[in-house]
Amino acid sequence: MVVMKEDPRQKQWEEDFACVCCLIQNFQLAAWEAGVGVVWKTNPFIHSPSFRETVDVKPGEKIVGLLHIGYPEQVPPVRLRTDAREKLTIKETIQG
């Protein structure tokens, strides 16, 4: 389970959340390189007061995700990927 402290300042909260998400993704990539599978879940029960109490998540903390970690019995075949340029729109200038 990955938990972050919630900052009351909205901008800082958003930056902290983005950083924790990047950490999880980098962890997933590093694990895969070592042959370890990781699935990141954000099931609805993470908001349940009884679940939060059971796993000792305090008020002012956010569960960012539950990581299911293990060695896969089989590795799925590589899928064709869409070129990132087809998914992105890059703005070269900012108009204000």
Side-chain angles (χ1 to χ4, degrees):
M1 181 172 61
V2 179
V3 177
M4 65 173 251
K5 288 190 178 202
E6 295 185 292
D7 196 295
R9 299 167 295 173
Q10 184 66 34
K11 181 180 182 299
Q12 190 61 51
W13 188 99
E14 290 174 1
E15 288 181 2
D16 292 348
F17 182 72
C19 288
V20 172
C21 291
C22 290
L23 173 129
I24 293 171
Q25 182 185 34
N26 288 337
F27 176 80
Q28 286 179 295
L29 294 171
W32 182 252
E33 284 295 314
V36 178
V38 179
V39 176
W40 174 4
K41 295 286 190 179
T42 52
N43 306 81
F45 64 78
I46 66 174
H47 302 289
S48 161
S50 62
F51 177 77
R52 292 173 59 87
E53 183 180 335
T54 299
V55 296
D56 199 30
V57 174
K58 306 287 189 237
E61 295 180 330
K62 175 174 180 50
I63 300 172
V64 180
L66 303 173
L67 304 183
H68 302 247
I69 302 170
Y71 293 96
E73 289 182 14
Q74 58 183 333
V75 176
V78 175
R79 296 181 296 158
L80 292 176
R81 301 289 183 182
T82 302
D83 188 302
R85 291 172 287 207
E86 294 180 34
K87 300 272 185 179
L88 298 173
T89 301
I90 298 174
K91 303 282 187 178
E92 302 250 354
T93 60
I94 299 174
Q95 298 177 2

